[in-house]
Amino acid sequence: MRGAVSIAVFIAIAIVLAWLVALPLWLGEGLSSPLAGNLLVAMMFTPTIAALVVVFFIEKPEHKARALGLVPLKPVGRLIGYLAIALILPIVLCVLALAVGALLGVFPADFLHFRGFEQITRMQLAEVGITELPMPIDVLVVLQFVNLIIAALFINIIPALGEEIGWRGWLLPKLLRFGPWPAIQLSGLIWGLWHAPVILLGYNYPGTPGWLALIAMVVFCTIMGGLFGWLRLRGGSVWPAALAHSSLNASATLFFLFIAANSSFDPLEANITGWSGWIIPLILLILVVSFGKFKPQAVSRKENP
């Protein structure tokens, strides 16, 4: 009973705080507001606030850092291995999502010559009075991947951790009592609906009816949240999930590199946020659960605090 109360309080705090943070957007200019970027980042910390309230004022466990998923950080080899997977996997999935979208005809791709990226880059340079590319387009593409990794490791990681301490650090282990698939589905539903304040304003799915965009976000969060959950459980702490979330946020814009010139696409259909982008992550998640890997890694006595 106490566990159900904790979960209910956590969900209520996270969702209410998210709406409060986003309220200025609803009362003002929406996502075009100059405050939008800062408010979106601030909203990402609301799940951690909710988890801290529950852990420190309701549950009061002896090992609070463990309850939040911040420890253990050993064995170090296992942690490093899952951190490496967490960094690379979202990048691979985002690129594969674009490839699947191209095969299915919903993403206009140019994987060889990067004409769309070149077009976008030239337009951006022209705005500051530069008429020539500073280096070959192939080199610029490579540099974008370097920037992506830097962003994942050092820039996006803090706000991503702000979400993951709540979703995968605290909530997911609480839901595992219902079994792997219910835990994945429930946590995905909660995480997806938590995005409602910005999804209904057009975030991620501009031009899509709000109800449909919210359904798409729930599906997306269920699939990707399941993979983040696997990294959290097998890695032993929330850090791999946080890095994967950070890497995904950085990688979701890779479509700029591979889109064909003079083209556009519907984010409901293509990219990692669209239905064609869910196919490979869903297959991977099904394999993870089917092979019994969606559970905590066995912990030896030496690893106990």
Side-chain angles (χ1 to χ4, degrees), residues 7 14 24-25 52 72 79 95 116 134 175 189 197 226 235 264 274 276 280:
I7 292 173
L25 302 180
L52 289 172
L79 177 62
V95 173
L175 297 176
L189 175 65
S264 62
S276 65
I280 292 180

Coordinates of all heavy atoms in Angstrom, one line a residue, residues 7 14 24-25 52 72 79 95 116 134 175 189 197 226 235 264 274 276 280:
I7 N 4.2 6.0 -5.4 CA 4.1 6.1 -6.8 C 3.1 7.2 -7.2 O 3.3 8.0 -8.1 CB 3.7 4.8 -7.5 CG1 4.9 3.8 -7.3 CG2 3.4 5.0 -9.0 CD1 4.6 2.4 -7.8
A14 N 5.4 15.2 -10.2 CA 6.1 15.4 -11.5 C 5.2 16.1 -12.5 O 5.6 17.0 -13.2 CB 6.6 14.0 -12.0
P24 N 3.9 29.5 -18.3 CA 4.2 30.7 -19.0 C 4.1 30.6 -20.6 O 3.8 31.6 -21.3 CB 5.6 31.1 -18.6 CG 5.8 30.4 -17.3 CD 5.0 29.2 -17.4
L25 N 4.4 29.4 -21.1 CA 4.3 29.2 -22.5 C 2.9 29.2 -23.0 O 2.5 29.7 -24.0 CB 5.0 27.8 -22.9 CG 6.4 27.7 -22.5 CD1 7.0 26.3 -23.0 CD2 7.3 28.8 -23.2
L52 N 12.8 13.0 -5.1 CA 13.5 13.5 -3.9 C 12.4 13.7 -2.8 O 12.7 13.3 -1.6 CB 14.2 14.8 -4.1 CG 15.5 14.7 -5.0 CD1 16.1 16.1 -5.3 CD2 16.6 13.9 -4.2
P72 N 24.8 1.5 -7.1 CA 26.2 1.4 -7.0 C 26.9 1.8 -8.3 O 26.3 1.8 -9.4 CB 26.5 -0.1 -6.7 CG 25.3 -0.8 -7.4 CD 24.1 0.2 -7.3
L79 N 30.0 -0.9 -15.4 CA 29.5 0.4 -15.6 C 30.0 1.1 -16.9 O 29.3 1.7 -17.6 CB 29.8 1.2 -14.4 CG 29.4 2.7 -14.4 CD1 27.9 2.8 -14.5 CD2 29.9 3.5 -13.2
V95 N 20.3 6.9 -36.7 CA 20.7 6.8 -38.1 C 19.9 5.7 -38.8 O 19.4 5.8 -39.9 CB 22.2 6.5 -38.2 CG1 22.6 6.1 -39.6 CG2 23.0 7.7 -37.7
G116 N 21.2 18.1 -48.8 CA 20.3 18.9 -47.9 C 21.1 19.6 -46.8 O 20.8 20.8 -46.5
P134 N 33.5 26.4 -45.1 CA 34.9 26.5 -44.6 C 35.7 25.3 -44.8 O 36.9 25.3 -44.7 CB 34.6 26.7 -43.1 CG 33.3 26.1 -42.8 CD 32.5 26.4 -44.1
L175 N 8.1 -0.3 -10.3 CA 7.1 -1.0 -11.2 C 7.5 -2.4 -11.6 O 6.6 -3.1 -12.1 CB 6.9 -0.1 -12.4 CG 6.3 1.3 -12.2 CD1 6.3 2.1 -13.5 CD2 5.0 1.3 -11.5
L189 N 3.9 5.1 -20.4 CA 2.7 5.8 -20.3 C 2.8 7.1 -19.5 O 2.5 8.2 -19.9 CB 1.5 5.0 -19.8 CG 0.2 5.7 -19.6 CD1 -0.4 6.2 -21.0 CD2 -0.8 4.8 -18.9
P197 N 2.4 19.0 -21.5 CA 2.4 20.5 -21.5 C 3.1 21.1 -22.8 O 2.7 22.1 -23.2 CB 3.1 20.9 -20.2 CG 2.9 19.7 -19.3 CD 2.9 18.5 -20.2
G226 N 11.9 1.8 -22.5 CA 12.2 0.4 -22.2 C 13.7 0.1 -22.4 O 14.3 -0.6 -21.6
G235 N 23.1 -2.0 -16.0 CA 24.2 -1.2 -15.6 C 24.4 -1.0 -14.2 O 25.4 -0.6 -13.6
S264 N 11.3 18.0 -47.0 CA 10.8 18.0 -45.7 C 10.2 16.7 -45.4 O 10.1 15.8 -46.3 CB 9.8 19.2 -45.5 OG 8.7 19.0 -46.3
G274 N 9.1 9.2 -35.2 CA 8.0 8.8 -36.0 C 7.9 7.3 -36.0 O 8.8 6.5 -35.6
S276 N 8.1 5.0 -38.3 CA 9.1 4.2 -39.0 C 10.4 4.1 -38.2 O 11.1 3.1 -38.3 CB 9.4 4.8 -40.4 OG 10.0 6.1 -40.2
I280 N 13.0 -0.6 -35.4 CA 14.2 -1.2 -34.9 C 14.3 -1.2 -33.4 O 14.7 -2.2 -32.7 CB 15.4 -0.7 -35.6 CG1 15.4 -1.1 -37.1 CG2 16.7 -1.2 -35.0 CD1 16.6 -0.6 -37.9

